[in-house]
Amino acid sequence: MKKSGIICLLVMSCIAINCRVVSAQSITIEKTKGKYTYRATLTTSEEPLTKRPIYSSQAAHKKGTTTTIGVEEAKTTSTSASVDVTAGFDFIDKLEVKLGVTQSCSYTVSTSVSYTLKKERSGKYRIEVWYPGKVETLKLKKRLKDSRTYGNAIIRTSKYTPIKNGQYKKLVRYAD
């Protein structure tokens, strides 16, 4: 009985180590504009990743030789949300800021960036800029200012919205 319990515990530990828990964040605000009161609930979940390769940095490397990977002139990449869920309301933009997402961002790889390879596996390498993001869902309801009942909700969802200041560069082996 002890042996099967230990095996079960080991299997559960392995599963727990390989699982990634993504917690959803949600924030709600009510705002009156003109004769309407709006109730906006913005939720972020999941964590998609967009990658932008710097093709001019690509180089073949043979293990044991010295290879330097870099760029001859600065390269800027950018990404933007798949959908603008803010519906044109600045108070929803402020909710995005509180949840740490932005509609677009960019990253510049400067000429001072270089990687030296020697013991790494043989293959083709390049610098990539990675943009972590979130899936963003907006649920927006409106009612007349003097009413207590909200109408039907407008729901907008992005497949990807970048995380503000989350972008980073990475050396990647992309082919054998």
Side-chain angles (χ1 to χ4, degrees):
M1 192 68 171
K2 278 187 174 183
K3 190 174 186 180
S4 65
I6 291 172
I7 292 172
C8 183
L9 183 60
L10 284 172
V11 170
M12 288 173 47
S13 296
C14 290
I15 291 170
I17 289 169
N18 289 321
C19 289
R20 188 170 174 205
V21 176
V22 177
S23 61
Q25 287 183 294
S26 187
I27 191 166
T28 300
I29 190 171
E30 255 188 41
K31 181 81 171 182
T32 300
K33 289 186 89 170
K35 62 182 180 177
Y36 292 104
T37 297
Y38 297 90
R39 177 181 213 124
T41 301
L42 189 63
T43 304
T44 59
S45 61
E46 300 180 38
E47 295 184 5
L49 181 69
T50 296
K51 301 174 184 179
R52 299 282 187 250
I54 308 293
Y55 294 111
S56 62
S57 71
Q58 293 181 173
H61 168 69
K62 185 175 180 183
K63 186 175 181 173
T65 63
T66 301
T67 306
T68 302
I69 309 278
V71 292
E72 291 182 17
E73 58 184 61
K75 298 290 180 188
T76 300
T77 63
S78 64
T79 192
S80 57
S82 62
V83 172
D84 181 359
V85 301
T86 63
F89 292 108
D90 61 344
F91 67 92
I92 299 172
D93 287 337
K94 291 175 184 172
L95 292 180
E96 285 186 323
V97 170
K98 286 183 179 180
L99 290 177
V101 294
T102 184
Q103 285 298 305
S104 64
C105 58
S106 64
Y107 190 91
T108 300
V109 177
S110 72
T111 56
S112 65
V113 172
S114 67
Y115 298 91
T116 302
L117 310 175
K118 185 161 184 162
K119 296 179 182 179
E120 288 77 3
R121 291 184 349 185
S122 295
K124 294 181 180 177
Y125 289 81
R126 68 179 170 212
I127 299 170
E128 292 182 353
V129 179
W130 289 17
Y131 294 92
K134 298 274 187 182
V135 171
E136 187 180 31
T137 303
L138 171 69
K139 187 174 182 181
L140 181 65
K141 296 180 178 185
K142 77 175 186 179
R143 64 175 167 88
L144 286 171
K145 190 170 24 178
D146 300 327
S147 174
R148 293 185 183 266
T149 309
Y150 283 97
N152 293 337
I154 297 170
I155 299 175
R156 292 186 175 182
T157 301
S158 74
K159 292 180 181 178
Y160 168 83
T161 302
I163 294 173
K164 186 177 176 112
N165 300 321
Q167 63 272 27
Y168 56 95
K169 67 185 173 310
K170 183 171 182 151
L171 180 68
V172 176
R173 182 176 178 270
Y174 68 95
D176 289 330

